[in-house]
Amino acid sequence: MVNNDFAVRCRGVVKRFGDVAAVNGFDLEVTTGQVLALLGPSGCGKTTALRVIAGLDVSDEGSIEVGGRLVAGPGVNLPPEKRRVGMVFQDFALFPHLDVAANVAFGLPRGDKKTRVAELLSLVRLDGLADRMPHELSGGQQQRVALARALAAEPDLILMDEPFSNLDPGIREEVRGEVRQLLRAVGITAIIVTHDQEEALSLAGEVAVMIDGRVLQTGTPAEVYGRPVSRLVGEFVGAANVLPGDSDGAQVECVLGRFKAMEQRGPVDVMFRAEALAISEDGGIPGEVVDVDYYGHDQMVAVKLHSGETLRVRLLARPGFEIGQRVGVTARGEPFVFPRS
Ligand code: ATP
């Protein structure tokens, strides 16, 4: 059954390269109009997943629907140009010998291209730059040309592969904000691949966490960060401290004390986000500061407990801590509790 509520729906997709299953049981549904960040560590198969959705690689198993049409599945494999999917590559892949207008027009069907190019350039706020060559544009502007070219064919879905990684860190955040606004304004469904947690959480309405070829959790940024389904997801999506613990089904005991636990019984992993811990100069579980990463607005302080574990604690920038300082660590909130892995 195809379903029109989803701009894209992947079920059990597998893509192998020789013995390596780069994508391995990939399930993903993106509601029409949603911007989803596909977040995962390097090599987990994100690019391959995009390529099989776009039809640039042929999937070995599973099915893919785009805009309510089956584009890949048993006996079906539509070519990329029939899938109504637009792609923006990491390096933007503009034609260097064509000006901005010609680059955008490339994505258009025959007919009155001029008016449509002007509309598209206005949409991505590049009016007046139609005659520029790609090398005369900033990275952010080149990206908007690539986006305009991808939007030209009125796709059901836009795929963007690490679209901000080629931009200077100084402008990355600004361009990210612009792209987010633009995608929302157009109302297009988009999947944006990134390995950057902060980027994923700040950019998208939904985040899918991909590890080892499959999606382990999909949800809003707050859900994925605040209620990870597994230790693996929790550790990938934010700074996390994992301590061994024991649960009696109602409470869990670990080096930082006793906490409420779900029904889980027996040996467990007890996970505290770095900001769920606090440092005090009197009281708490004793330890010594072994490292300080100062970021200006906040700091990450590593404390080695006398019992041997090293914990990372995220704090406001003040008060400052010195390496070697004796401190105590306390928990500010309830931990996540997972079966011992
Ligand atoms: P990164 O963030 O580093 O780009 P990724 O999550 O996008 O990584 P992929 O590029 O999809 O990961 O690669 C997933 C796995 O598949 C890797 O082990 C990679 O080496 C392998 N792989 C990807 N493309 C090919 C190919 N054409 N031939 C052989 N192996 C490939």
Side-chain angles (χ1 to χ4, degrees), residues 17 20-23 40-49 57 161-162 193 195:
F17 296 106
V20 180
V23 166
S42 179
C44 75
K46 304 179 296 294
T47 298
T48 307
D57 279 327
D161 192 1
E162 298 272 2
V193 156
H195 62 270

Side-chain angles (χ1 to χ4, degrees), residues 113-178:
K113 295 193 178 189
K114 217 170 163 187
T115 320
R116 186 76 184 118
V117 166
E119 273 170 22
L120 285 159
L121 288 182
S122 160
L123 183 70
V124 298
R125 288 187 287 110
L126 289 175
D127 327 60
L129 298 187
D131 301 332
R132 291 264 187 100
M133 299 304 282
H135 73 269
E136 296 171 323
L137 301 173
S138 72
Q141 289 168 335
Q142 288 182 35
Q143 183 176 60
R144 279 184 273 155
V145 177
L147 197 51
R149 185 178 64 188
L151 289 168
E154 299 186 1
D156 289 323
L157 175 69
I158 290 272
L159 305 176
M160 302 179 85
D161 192 1
E162 298 272 2
F164 310 107
S165 58
N166 275 342
L167 301 173
D168 292 341
I171 64 158
R172 204 173 292 165
E173 214 168 308
E174 187 188 328
V175 174
R176 219 154 70 187
E178 278 177 6

Side-chain angles (χ1 to χ4, degrees), residues 12-23:
V13 176
V14 176
K15 173 65 193 173
R16 294 184 199 91
F17 296 106
D19 293 341
V20 180
V23 166

